[in-house]
Amino acid sequence: MSRPLVAIVGRPNVGKSYLFNRLVGRRLSIVEDTPGVTRDRLYAECEWQGRKFDVVDTGGIEPNTANEILLFMREQAMLAIDAADVIVLVTEIGTGIAGMLQRSGKPVVLAVNKMDSIGPNDPGIYEFYNLGLGDPIAVSAIHGHGTGDLLDACVAHFPPADEEEEEDDRIKVAVIGKPNVGKSSLINHILREKRVIVADMPGTTRDAVDTPVENEYGRYLFIDTAGIRRKSKVNERVERFSVMRAQLAIERSDVCLIMIDAREGVTEQDTKIAGLAHEAGKASIVVVNKWDLIEKDTNTMDKMRKEVQRDLSFMPYAPVLFISCLTGQRTGRIFELVNYVNEQASMRITTGMLNNVLADAQARQQPPTDKGRRLKVYYMTQTGVKPPHFVIFCNSKELFHFSYQRYIENRVRAAFGLEGTPIRITIRQKGDKE
């Protein structure tokens, strides 16, 4: 199920990031930052009036500029606008952006920021009616005034909740990786047509492209993403939006295909991209492309599989598939694996079965002790899926060392599989609030 998306846009220095941080950080029940975004909190899951949705921050838009970086930032903001259900225009004044947003055809909520200095009843707010975007909402991103009214206005434009629920049953597959590893070529091969532009120049795909696929394996939505370049090769602000696009695609997906060039093996950048999928809790498959270009002997595949698993040691659960988009070698296996890891990520395990495994694990390896105190593990239950999330109750979180958590996770995987998906484990001790 896809959540509604709210894009925050505006000129530079009007307070977009302040407003974003206010909405996703400290305001009432507006919750949790999405894992995986390292430096700038560009994208977050929020909740208001019982509706969950996503908020994305964008770079400043200068409507009339020849500056290459500002042009690029405007272009990247347009990507967020295209994907959004509702646009929040943060402004102090300026009509250039308003016209661009009206042409998008999307609902626009006008937020007039920095109103704390003059007050919401100041006659100055009336000039913003000239933008032709409806009633302006006075907010103070710094102090939080008016953000509830702003969110009410956003939620009013969301599609009905029941429409969201019955949206579709397609498995959403994000194809992620560095530029020029063959992401677009894979989708073209799957479609048997050139739906996505393919070129030798890295970075040809500039937006996330959604491609529906239906075949004997099921119904899918493939999301092709622009490649993420190394920071040493691009301006840092450009990189920011490259990561944002990948993050948006990952968050929308059920399964991530992490594509790697067989000739290069796993690079540092591949590790970072895989880390985005892992931290977001997504089922993942490592797809090693251009396998037709590798000279082989009887052990070549096993050797490279071990190298991939070593370099991506934080996600040992992810299966590794060797393909060639050019020849079509093993591309049919992708659908079988996507179905399999999606089922594994959706698996529910009864509390009784979990506690049988927990008891057996403790019998095999005693819980750790520290200064005469022994860890006592009481019981374990599953609280969520995609990824499977387990809560373990014990007498002391401090005694529950990471190594013993990893041991319990390995015993659960040995008993139930859970291949292709990360696992989340929360430790609670007696007296913790739910």
Side-chain angles (χ1 to χ4, degrees), residues 140-158:
S140 167
I142 291 178
H143 297 108
H145 307 320
T147 50
D149 293 337
L150 176 66
L151 287 166
D152 287 344
C154 290
V155 170
H157 290 297
F158 290 173

Side-chain angles (χ1 to χ4, degrees), residues 212-257:
V213 175
E214 192 165 346
N215 57 24
E216 66 270 29
Y217 298 102
R219 299 175 69 238
Y220 309 88
L221 188 70
F222 277 79
I223 308 165
D224 183 20
T225 59
I228 305 175
R229 292 176 176 81
R230 289 201 311 277
K231 282 200 175 171
S232 59
K233 290 200 171 181
V234 289
N235 178 283
E236 189 173 317
R237 297 188 81 166
V238 173
E239 169 68 12
R240 194 175 168 220
F241 292 103
S242 181
V243 172
M244 180 191 81
R245 290 199 306 278
Q247 189 69 29
L248 281 165
I250 289 166
E251 287 299 330
R252 290 173 54 213
S253 71
D254 299 301
V255 177
C256 291
L257 300 183

Side-chain angles (χ1 to χ4, degrees), residues 16-283:
K16 295 183 305 301
S17 294
Y18 272 117
L19 181 62
F20 177 84
N21 290 337
R22 170 65 60 178
L23 295 182
V24 305
R26 300 183 299 276
R27 174 75 181 170
L28 299 179
S29 64
I30 305 174
V31 296
E32 176 181 335
D33 285 330
T34 304
V37 181
T38 49
R39 303 191 68 168
D40 296 286
R41 293 189 294 165
L42 297 171
Y43 185 81
E45 179 187 308
C46 300
E47 186 173 353
W48 188 258
Q49 293 183 6
R51 294 295 300 274
K52 287 188 177 179
F53 57 99
D54 296 312
V55 180
V56 61
D57 190 12
T58 65
I61 300 174
E62 282 287 5
N64 303 303
T65 180
N67 180 284
E68 191 175 337
I69 294 300
L70 290 175
L71 282 169
F72 191 92
M73 288 167 63
R74 183 172 72 191
E75 188 176 297
Q76 301 315 309
M78 286 304 298
L79 300 181
I81 289 166
D82 289 342
D85 294 284
V86 180
I87 301 159
V88 173
L89 172 58
V90 184
T91 186
E92 294 170 278
I93 189 102
T95 57
I97 300 172
M100 184 173 78
L101 297 185
Q102 285 170 321
R103 290 192 293 275
S104 77
K106 301 287 179 74
V108 179
V109 176
L110 179 61
V112 183
N113 190 30
K114 305 184 183 177
M115 292 301 289
D116 44 305
S117 58
I118 55 176
N121 299 315
D122 190 280
I125 196 168
Y126 293 110
E127 69 182 277
F128 294 98
Y129 281 96
N130 294 331
L131 296 177
L133 295 174
D135 294 334
I137 297 173
V139 301
S140 167
I142 291 178
H143 297 108
H145 307 320
T147 50
D149 293 337
L150 176 66
L151 287 166
D152 287 344
C154 290
V155 170
H157 290 297
F158 290 173
D162 55 348
E163 275 184 32
E164 260 177 81
E165 290 291 342
E166 60 188 30
E167 184 191 62
D168 63 48
D169 59 353
R170 296 178 295 188
I171 299 175
K172 296 176 185 65
V173 184
V175 186
I176 60 176
K178 294 182 310 194
N180 209 31
V181 292
K183 300 183 296 295
S184 300
S185 297
L186 174 62
I187 291 175
N188 285 339
H189 178 79
I190 287 169
L191 288 172
R192 303 280 193 271
E193 60 174 301
K194 287 200 172 184
R195 179 74 64 89
V196 181
I197 297 168
V198 177
D200 288 336
M201 186 181 76
T204 309
T205 308
R206 304 174 79 169
D207 192 2
V209 180
D210 288 3
T211 306
V213 175
E214 192 165 346
N215 57 24
E216 66 270 29
Y217 298 102
R219 299 175 69 238
Y220 309 88
L221 188 70
F222 277 79
I223 308 165
D224 183 20
T225 59
I228 305 175
R229 292 176 176 81
R230 289 201 311 277
K231 282 200 175 171
S232 59
K233 290 200 171 181
V234 289
N235 178 283
E236 189 173 317
R237 297 188 81 166
V238 173
E239 169 68 12
R240 194 175 168 220
F241 292 103
S242 181
V243 172
M244 180 191 81
R245 290 199 306 278
Q247 189 69 29
L248 281 165
I250 289 166
E251 287 299 330
R252 290 173 54 213
S253 71
D254 299 301
V255 177
C256 291
L257 300 183
I258 302 160
M259 291 196 71
I260 289 168
D261 190 324
R263 298 169 301 177
E264 297 181 17
V266 177
T267 65
E268 182 183 356
Q269 190 63 9
D270 292 320
T271 305
K272 289 179 180 175
I273 294 166
L276 292 175
H278 173 71
E279 290 173 26
K282 299 297 178 176

